[in-house]
Amino acid sequence: MVIDLDKCVGCGTCMVACMAENNVPFREDDTDKLLSVAWMRVYRFTNGKPYPDTEECYLPRPCQQCEGHAGHSPCVSVCPATATDYDLDTGIVSQIYTRCFGCRYCMAACPYHVRQFNWWDPVWPDGMEKSLNPNVSVRMRGVVEKCSFCIHRYQLAKEKAYAAGRREIAEDAYQTACAQACPAGAITFGDLYNPKHAVHQLVKPDLKHGGNSKNPKAFRLLERLGTNTKVYYLSSREWVRRAGDNYLKKEGKAH
Amino acid sequence: MDDEVSGSNWADAFGTDSAQFEFSNNRIDALPDYTPPVAQGDESFYQLLLVPYDSMRLASGYVGSPPFLIKALDDTILKGNDVLVEVNPATAKKLGLSNGQFATLSTPIGSGRVKVYFFDGIMPGVVAIPRGLGHTGENKFLAGKGLNYNALSAPVEDPASGLDAAWGIRAKLAKV
């Protein structure tokens, strides 16, 4: 996935589309963001300069789908229940709710606050249960959940392709809800390693160097941790690219 | 690379005196007998100017935000049932307010409890409140949260057009 921060206006459509697609519940008071479950979250940050030189930027944050080194994602490495794994074929970190027993090690290990704990059973207002997505299981209290890159859509697209006698899934046959909903077209989704896909052309990943991008506008969040994430951000503003890795003053420049 | 979004490329982008985007046309000042509308309130008591702003994630019209959108709001706009108002840190420090603190926002029309949110991007001397909160009905996800800007504001007449100008009123922000 590639998210162009020059295009993102912070409207939150990706968050809403994600919640509707993935049966993410809401509570009467969801303003405590440590207790609130949101697979996609849009952050706002500024360049830290006083008025009138302040600039701001919005940053949508889905699961970063860390590959680490050979599939050693931070969360996968610590899960005692094998409730989460890294799929080397799809590049997606899974979450199996029925295996998770809620120890929350993965939440502590994740550098991106991507994982969230269900402190309560989900409750939908009367009638709204009819709008739930039948392809995504709802989660009970006591388990951790996170963005799945709409893996159910991948499964459906794969079934469809196989039924039609194809082994390759077309780029437009599998798209995440957030990518489709974004009114600014800021989110591009596809197969990073397929040269025909737009994400590959935008990122030009350098596989010999941990997947670092050859695009000077591209960066990943906390890249130096070696999490080797599958979400790349684009920005033409240098301070935004630097903020992505939280550089200290004495450290080197972001590209 | 940054030249794409700022710098020399933008010098001639707007044909205004400031060479930047302007919300009003300065040529209006050349009209005979024109005086700009003045926000209601005594400046010596109401030291700040209260302005509304539209958050992209908040429906500010007659129909309120649905629950998914309320959930998607940042905690820099709504925290619990309290709305956060944006104040420039320099202005807030002069008033003895700290970030995240409760304060009473009062205008000649009304008052209410708000939380202070320091934001560098807001002009000094201004306090900004998001539009679309302060609903009393619809559903429990929306009702009773924040303050309604319209209940704090009153229009003044624009002397040039005779129309109501409702964008801004003098306000006071004080510790609770």
Side-chain angles (χ1 to χ4, degrees):
Chain A
M1 178 178 286
V2 181
I3 305 178
D4 191 338
L5 302 183
D6 291 339
K7 290 181 183 167
C8 176
V9 292
C11 67
T13 306
C14 53
M15 300 166 76
V16 171
C18 173
M19 288 188 264
E21 174 74 18
N22 292 299
N23 299 336
V24 179
F26 46 83
R27 294 182 300 121
E28 195 172 328
D29 179 3
D30 244 321
T31 59
D32 186 337
K33 300 303 178 192
L34 290 175
L35 304 179
S36 172
V37 178
W39 291 13
M40 174 65 115
R41 191 170 161 199
V42 180
Y43 290 88
R44 179 173 85 157
F45 58 103
T46 72
N47 60 353
K49 290 189 181 167
Y51 183 90
D53 298 316
T54 315
E55 285 180 30
E56 63 178 10
C57 183
Y58 291 96
L59 187 139
R61 186 240 50 208
C63 174
Q64 304 290 306
Q65 316 291 355
C66 308
E67 181 177 347
H69 182 67
H72 285 284
S73 325
C75 55
V76 172
S77 307
V78 298
C79 180
T82 328
T84 178
D85 77 337
Y86 181 83
D87 185 336
L88 287 163
D89 287 336
T90 59
I92 293 174
V93 176
S94 70
Q95 177 71 10
I96 304 163
Y97 313 117
T98 42
R99 280 193 196 163
C100 174
F101 51 71
C103 72
R104 288 168 279 154
Y105 283 9
C106 57
M107 288 172 66
C110 175
Y112 305 107
H113 296 280
V114 154
R115 292 173 161 274
Q116 282 126 8
F117 185 66
N118 283 281
W119 291 94
W120 300 273
D121 275 327
V123 180
W124 278 273
D126 276 349
M128 205 185 149
E129 68 280 356
K130 288 178 191 144
S131 72
L132 293 180
N133 184 348
N135 295 321
V136 180
S137 66
V138 292
R139 286 75 59 185
M140 66 177 294
R141 71 182 186 282
V143 302
V144 170
E145 64 181 72
K146 72 159 193 84
C147 158
S148 67
F149 264 17
C150 290
I151 185 80
H152 56 287
R153 291 185 171 200
Y154 170 74
Q155 288 160 341
L156 288 174
K158 195 172 160 189
E159 277 173 22
K160 228 174 172 176
Y162 275 45
R166 285 180 280 112
R167 283 295 175 267
E168 196 176 316
I169 298 169
E171 189 177 13
D172 60 357
Y174 167 40
Q175 289 289 318
T176 60
C178 53
Q180 288 187 322
C182 177
I187 305 178
T188 313
F189 186 75
D191 183 352
L192 265 180
Y193 303 145
N194 186 334
K196 286 185 221 147
H197 284 204
V199 280
H200 179 92
Q201 291 156 16
L202 281 169
V203 168
K204 304 181 194 79
D206 184 353
L207 297 180
K208 284 184 190 141
H209 297 93
N212 282 359
S213 174
K214 288 180 198 154
N215 182 344
K217 274 168 75 173
F219 67 98
R220 293 184 284 181
L221 297 182
L222 302 177
E223 202 159 21
R224 63 184 159 158
L225 294 183
T227 40
N228 189 9
T229 62
K230 296 290 163 285
V231 180
Y232 293 76
Y233 294 89
L234 302 177
S235 177
S236 51
R237 294 187 281 184
E238 198 201 332
W239 70 266
V240 171
R241 298 194 295 270
R242 288 178 66 84
D245 219 340
N246 207 9
Y247 282 89
L248 298 174
K249 266 182 190 150
K250 60 180 181 182
E251 289 174 327
K253 282 179 81 171
H255 49 223
Chain B
M1 196 78 63
D2 278 12
D3 283 352
E4 286 174 26
V5 286
S6 60
S8 55
N9 284 353
W10 289 88
D12 302 323
F14 301 102
T16 54
D17 295 341
S18 63
Q20 291 181 335
F21 178 80
E22 287 179 4
F23 283 101
S24 63
N25 187 342
N26 287 336
R27 284 180 203 148
I28 199 172
D29 292 331
L31 291 175
D33 302 329
Y34 174 74
T35 47
V38 179
Q40 188 185 335
D42 179 0
E43 215 167 307
S44 60
F45 181 73
Y46 296 106
Q47 295 169 323
L48 305 172
L49 185 68
L50 174 67
V51 296
Y53 73 96
D54 283 307
S55 163
M56 293 274 278
R57 293 180 220 164
L58 203 46
S60 57
Y62 176 72
V63 177
S65 281
F68 275 148
L69 262 188
I70 290 291
K71 181 179 173 178
L73 277 181
D74 267 338
D75 55 0
T76 55
I77 290 181
L78 183 72
K79 186 81 184 169
N81 285 336
D82 294 293
V83 62
L84 286 93
V85 291
E86 290 185 353
V87 193
N88 192 288
T91 305
K93 274 171 197 156
K94 263 187 223 163
L95 298 169
L97 296 166
S98 49
N99 197 14
Q101 187 182 6
F102 282 114
T104 304
L105 178 67
S106 49
T107 70
I109 304 300
S111 70
R113 188 173 83 151
V114 296
K115 268 187 140 180
V116 175
Y117 170 54
F118 282 14
F119 181 53
D120 286 317
I122 193 90
M123 192 179 191
V126 169
V127 51
I129 189 166
R131 298 203 306 153
L133 292 172
H135 283 266
T136 51
E138 222 156 306
N139 59 56
K140 64 177 180 176
F141 302 97
L142 179 66
K145 293 183 178 177
L147 287 178
N148 180 2
Y149 166 72
N150 295 320
L152 299 171
S153 166
V156 290
E157 190 185 307
D158 171 19
S161 65
L163 298 171
D164 277 347
W167 197 82
I169 188 167
R170 305 296 317 176
K172 188 178 168 65
L173 200 55
K175 284 184 207 173
V176 174

